Amino acid sequence: MHRSGATMAWNVFKFCTALRGLGSIMILLVLGVVGVTYYAVVLTNYGPALSAGGLDSLVALLVLILFHSLLVMLLWSYFSVVFTDPGSVPPNWRPTIDEERGEADPLVGTEFSNVQTDPNQRIRYCRKCNQLKPPRCHHCSVCGRCVLKMDHHCVWVVNCVGALNYKYFLLFLFYTFLETTLVTASLLPHFIAFFSDGEIPGTPGSLATTFLAFVLNLAFALSVLGFLIMHISLVAANTTTIEAYEKKTTPKWRYDLGRRKNFEQVFGMDKKYWFIPAYSDEDIRKMPALQGLDYPSKPDFDSQ
């Protein structure tokens, strides 16, 4: 039994090491898919159609405007997730008297000898990082540190998704779905032409690129749609992927403030910033939840 546990731990360690090793490979893969799609849509099909005249030119112009607009937002959101720290525990962080009551078993030991808290408080402690854990914080084995309001570690962005970049991740999913759906719809006539009896204009290379771009974007559109629906439901309940798994048997969730406030906990209150990967200075100043350390909870839950 001990040997099996040691083997499992070793396999998990190798898995986490492999994820770290992916690094820039995943970023290059994403950029590669974008490059293939750009070549198929802009350079091969709809760019040349601008000079055709008539309705074809108008349709091509509309497709190209939408394509480039969504592509800018997609890449902006993507690199915001990649390069934004998801949130780390500040050095020497200590909980306030009302935090984390009833979420975990109390821990005792020398590490808590100098922590002054409510006698009923349940304190969470990370034995890997040797530090206290703020509310909704979890340890990431891939990053090797605790992440504030951790949702998951995403290999596609080579980063953890947490309190400070969760909105950017959701926008990345949103714009990826819109972009891949647009590409799938715009390349569908060209894809159908592959199975017709007539002659198809273009070189073998351009035809193969168009076929590949259609299949890739269709696959991404369908898969991203599933993730997007799942995360919309998580935002509506003000929970994360990890928390949703942990509270499967919990009938009430202390951070569920209603759909409107739950949405604002992630996207902020300023509507002008809802669809861009950024926050207004006022939201950052007035909403502690955006910093990942302090989260409002239900008044009736706290009174219990």
Side-chain angles (χ1 to χ4, degrees), residues 77-227:
S77 301
Y78 177 72
F79 286 109
S80 294
V81 185
V82 172
F83 294 114
T84 299
D85 191 297
S88 302
V89 182
N92 302 320
W93 178 86
R94 291 294 182 268
T96 59
I97 195 170
D98 291 329
E99 288 177 343
E100 292 300 291
R101 183 170 298 166
E103 283 200 358
D105 293 333
L107 299 176
V108 294
T110 56
E111 62 267 22
F112 296 103
S113 60
N114 61 342
V115 180
Q116 301 297 324
T117 60
D118 189 325
N120 296 322
Q121 185 181 13
R122 310 291 180 169
I123 302 173
R124 301 167 66 235
Y125 185 81
C126 180
R127 300 193 181 278
K128 295 180 181 179
C129 297
N130 294 318
Q131 65 182 9
L132 298 172
K133 295 170 68 174
R136 314 183 74 177
C137 177
H138 291 83
H139 184 88
C140 176
S141 300
V142 180
C143 296
R145 63 188 176 102
C146 286
V147 175
L148 301 178
K149 196 186 176 185
M150 178 180 173
D151 187 88
H152 69 288
H153 186 94
C154 181
V155 295
W156 289 100
V157 302
V158 202
N159 196 5
C160 258
V161 177
L164 305 186
N165 64 354
Y166 185 49
K167 173 188 175 182
Y168 310 156
F169 175 75
L170 294 178
L171 290 176
F172 168 59
L173 292 181
F174 177 68
Y175 288 118
T176 298
F177 172 70
L178 293 182
E179 179 80 325
T180 53
T181 301
L182 172 66
V183 172
T184 301
S186 61
L187 293 183
L188 180 60
H190 304 278
F191 179 78
I192 295 176
F194 280 103
F195 304 97
S196 64
D197 296 331
E199 183 177 354
I200 306 174
T203 65
S206 64
L207 295 177
T209 304
T210 299
F211 187 92
L212 178 62
F214 175 85
V215 173
L216 287 175
N217 280 271
L218 176 61
F220 276 113
L222 295 176
S223 59
V224 169
L225 177 61
F227 281 110

Side-chain angles (χ1 to χ4, degrees), residues 236 257-266 268-269 271 274:
L257 308 176
R259 292 184 178 179
R260 171 77 180 196
K261 291 185 177 179
N262 292 344
F263 178 85
E264 292 174 348
Q265 291 286 304
V266 177
M269 300 177 65
K271 297 179 181 179
W274 280 358

